[in-house]
Amino acid sequence: MKLIIFDKDGTLVGVPDPAANRPANRPEEQVLLPGRLEKIKALRKQGMRIALASNQGGVAWGFITYDQAAALMADCARKIGGADIIRFCPHDARAAGKPNAREHYAIQCGCRKPAPGMLQDIMAFLRVTPEETVFVGDRDEDRTAAEAAGVRFMWADEFFR
């Protein structure tokens, strides 16, 4: 393996209010889950490249702006000691026509997981093959994206055990 791609919410950072069951909307709300930093430091020592790939559909729904989503991704990368590349998808077709939706982002795309676009883009940018890549996530959309991209998938709970 040369590349580990991580989902963000639920994989690296927890939700700020479990009762509300929503992801963080501000960097100060993001809390790194236990064991994440130590494991990622160890992976870097082994020469692994680290990437982030996350759906940020809150942009399409109007909960956060594109720039806020980018700040959340950058903050997560900072909390894990950096990333070789960060990609996120601001799209969500389900938001189309809904109150507060940002119609520009309320579209079907090839980057929103379970589509493989983000993973493929990361591998192409880093010149790494699917056989050299693992995607770590916490949802079925993550697993399906990994399968569609032809990369190995690991559940976050197992990976960080």
Side-chain angles (χ1 to χ4, degrees):
M1 291 292 123
K2 292 183 180 179
L3 170 63
I4 313 259
I5 304 172
F6 294 98
D7 169 57
K8 182 176 78 73
D9 298 305
T11 298
L12 296 177
V13 296
V15 296
D17 179 4
N21 193 29
R22 69 160 181 85
N25 287 337
R26 296 185 315 275
E28 60 271 16
E29 291 181 332
Q30 289 191 127
V31 178
L32 208 54
L33 292 169
R36 277 31 181 190
L37 182 59
E38 299 80 9
K39 176 81 173 201
I40 292 170
K41 281 183 179 180
L43 291 168
R44 276 204 189 83
K45 283 184 181 180
Q46 297 170 21
M48 291 291 171
R49 299 183 87 179
I50 304 298
L52 301 180
S54 180
N55 287 344
Q56 294 294 301
V59 175
W61 288 89
F63 299 136
I64 59 174
T65 66
Y66 185 95
D67 289 343
Q68 287 171 317
L72 288 166
M73 296 300 294
D75 177 70
C76 182
R78 182 188 56 74
K79 283 179 164 100
I80 63 167
D84 292 284
I85 184 173
I86 299 168
R87 291 292 185 260
F88 69 92
C89 174
H91 307 114
D92 191 339
R94 298 171 301 172
K98 300 289 194 282
N100 302 319
R102 292 191 177 95
E103 295 301 326
H104 176 74
Y105 297 111
I107 61 169
Q108 187 71 34
C109 68
C111 58
R112 183 175 178 79
K113 297 176 292 179
M118 275 191 286
L119 306 182
Q120 293 167 332
D121 182 53
I122 289 168
M123 289 184 290
F125 182 84
L126 296 175
R127 295 187 174 111
V128 176
T129 67
E131 296 78 25
E132 299 169 318
T133 303
V134 173
F135 182 44
V136 179
D138 67 317
R139 299 176 55 121
D140 275 335
E141 293 88 3
D142 299 325
R143 182 186 51 78
T144 304
E147 289 173 2
V151 305
R152 182 175 169 211
F153 176 76
M154 289 191 72
W155 293 103
D157 289 346
E158 295 173 20
F159 185 84
F160 289 105
R161 213 177 279 180

